[in-house]
Structure formats: C-alpha cells, structure tokens
Amino acid sequence: MQTFDEYQRFTQSLASYNEGVYYKIGDEYHAGPWTYPVQELTEEAGEVNGKVAKYIRKSGTDLNVLRMDVAKELGDVLYQLSESARQFGFTLQEIADMNVSKLTDRAERGVLIGEGDDR
C-alpha cells in the first residue's frame, strides 16, 4: 500500500463491528457508528503506553523487543484511527492535511509548545 486512501479502503474491508451503536442525549437516542473505533483507538494508545511502562519497570529488557512491540501496537492505533476518521466522514489524508495546516500555523505563530486546542 502506498497511500492513506488505499490503507483506509483496506481497513474498511476488515471492519467487523456493530455500526448501529446508539448513544443517548437527554431522552433521545442517536446512531453513533464511530463509538467502537473511537473507544478502541484509546485502548490501543493505552497499549502503546503499557509496553513502554513495562519496559521501564523491567529495566534490562531488550530495546529492540520494545521497538517491535510498540510498532505492532502503533499499527493497531493506525487501524482504529483510520476507522474513526472514516466513521466521521474523513479520509486519513484529510486528517493528515488538517494536522499539517494546524501545526504549520502554530509553528509560524510560535505557539507549538503550550496548551489548548485553539492556541
């Protein structure tokens, strides 16, 4: 695969979760097909963190083993990111382009380091 679009078509072909999930706001229920991949995205990111935490705790573990373990988990993060973006109607390329624009703007204004989404 050479593009984000190709990767996203691939992940969509493998997606096998209930896209008819509902969430409640007040007394109304709304369809939220994005619920599962968004929740899994945070779980997979936590698994990346867990690999690093175990590496720190078990000092002496082979760094190459950690690198490969983290790479595998980052692949799972990418999969869930792809599906989350798709469920919200974006391609991975659009997400990447938006992020480049945001970071470029922050760099030009000297606010890369800081807090808040709208800095």
Side-chain angles (χ1 to χ4, degrees), residues 15-22 31-37 39 86-87:
S16 60
Y17 51 87
N18 182 359
E19 294 193 18
V21 174
Y22 289 86
W34 40 264
T35 303
Y36 181 79
Q39 290 179 332
R86 182 178 71 82
Q87 291 295 349

Side-chain angles (χ1 to χ4, degrees), residues 16-58:
S16 60
Y17 51 87
N18 182 359
E19 294 193 18
V21 174
Y22 289 86
Y23 62 97
K24 186 175 182 181
I25 297 178
D27 292 331
E28 296 181 20
Y29 286 89
H30 303 270
W34 40 264
T35 303
Y36 181 79
V38 168
Q39 290 179 332
E40 282 298 303
L41 176 60
T42 59
E43 179 184 347
E44 295 298 347
E47 289 184 22
V48 171
N49 188 54
K51 296 293 184 183
V52 172
K54 287 177 185 172
Y55 176 80
I56 292 168
R57 186 181 71 228
K58 296 179 180 181

Side-chain angles (χ1 to χ4, degrees), residues 102-115 119:
K102 177 180 80 173
L103 294 175
T104 300
D105 177 63
R106 286 182 180 175
E108 289 171 353
R109 293 183 294 114
V111 293
L112 272 175
I113 298 174
E115 293 183 25
R119 61 176 182 260

